[in-house]
Every structure is written in C-alpha cells, then in structure tokens.
Amino acid sequence: MAWLPADFAHPTRVPLDGEHHLRPIRESDVDVDYPAVMGSRQRLWSLYGEKWGWPPADMTHEHDRVDLARHEREQDAHESFNYALFNADETELYGCVYIDPVEDPERTDDARISWWVVDDRVGTDLERALDAFVPRWIAEVWPFTSPHYGI
C-alpha cells in the first residue's frame, strides 16, 4: 500500500523488556487472545467500540479466530498491523499495539497508532513500559513522518 515504502520489512519480534515482547498476532494465538480481550472487554469497548464496534459483548472464540486470521492476512499484505504483547514463552497475551493507515483523505497523519493492556496490567510497570516504548519504536523503526497516537 502507498502508506509504506515497497521495500519496508515490518519487525517480526520486538523486545520490550527482559520478560515481554511484541510480535505480529496470528490466527493461532486465539487461545491466549480471546481470554485477554474478553477479560478486558468493557474497557476495550470504551476505547474502541464507537470507532470499530469491537469487542462485541457476544464475541465467540470462533469470531475471534476469524478476526485474527484477517489481521494476519492484512499484516502479510502490509495493509495494517496488530502486534500482540506476550510474556517470554507466549503463554499469556497482555495487550496489543495497532498500526493502521489513516482512512480520512483530509487528514495529514500517515498512520494511526493505538495500544492497550489487559485490565490487570493497567497502571503497572508493564503498561508504563509499553506507553514509553511505542512512540519511540514508531519513530525509530517505522517510516512515518506524522503518526497519530489514539483512535
């Protein structure tokens, strides 16, 4: 897509600290993604519900799997990116970072960046580390000149 250079290679594993890392989410992550999302659903709905209609109260494991498969295809095509925040052995998913093109042609931003952590990590060192890391990572690694942080 025009929002990224043709030769841009997106990161496939990004260390956050000694215990956590980010990597593009996959369909096969559904068993750790679904409980993370649904366990934080009300807060996530307050952040993303109006814009994305997500996550719906009736989202099933299968619906989440289909959604993750779509994210995986979009990442492969460089259309948008969903990076999951994992513990070292990827048995727990603690949040996500979204990197999307700006859909409004009137806007001058070249990307929309947002992120979240699960409810039990809100206000913790992990959330603070992610909050500090994401803007720095975007500035240092991604080819954007005017990203928008938020929904």
Side-chain angles (χ1 to χ4, degrees):
M1 287 187 65
W3 73 301
L4 291 171
D7 63 348
F8 179 73
H10 68 276
T12 58
R13 184 181 171 92
V14 183
L16 177 64
D17 58 28
E19 300 173 23
H20 304 93
H21 65 276
L22 297 164
R23 75 151 165 79
I25 203 158
R26 302 178 193 130
E27 179 181 1
S28 59
D29 296 321
V30 67
D31 289 339
V32 290
D33 183 69
Y34 184 74
V37 169
M38 295 310 281
S40 301
R41 197 200 77 75
Q42 287 185 325
R43 188 171 52 80
L44 293 176
W45 183 264
S46 76
L47 298 172
Y48 297 100
E50 185 175 326
K51 176 88 171 167
W52 294 353
W54 179 87
D58 61 351
M59 185 170 78
T60 65
H61 187 273
E62 177 61 13
H63 179 257
D64 191 36
R65 186 194 62 72
V66 169
D67 198 36
L68 295 183
R70 177 184 55 81
H71 282 299
E72 193 170 359
R73 287 189 307 274
E74 290 173 349
Q75 290 166 157
D76 290 345
H78 278 194
E79 294 171 353
S80 69
F81 299 87
N82 176 348
Y83 280 82
L85 174 61
F86 288 105
N87 62 346
D89 63 1
E90 300 190 357
T91 57
E92 295 286 333
L93 187 146
Y94 294 117
C96 287
V97 177
Y98 304 111
I99 304 170
D100 296 301
V102 175
E103 298 163 357
D104 182 350
E106 301 293 315
R107 298 205 43 162
T108 59
D109 309 329
D110 52 1
R112 187 180 66 228
I113 318 296
S114 65
W115 61 94
W116 58 271
V117 295
V118 293
D119 283 359
D120 69 354
R121 299 301 169 143
V122 170
T124 67
D125 288 344
L126 180 59
E127 182 182 43
R128 286 186 286 279
L130 190 64
D131 289 349
F133 176 79
V134 171
R136 186 175 65 246
W137 177 52
I138 296 299
E140 292 173 359
V141 174
W142 292 80
F144 306 126
T145 58
S146 58
H148 171 78
Y149 293 95
I151 302 301

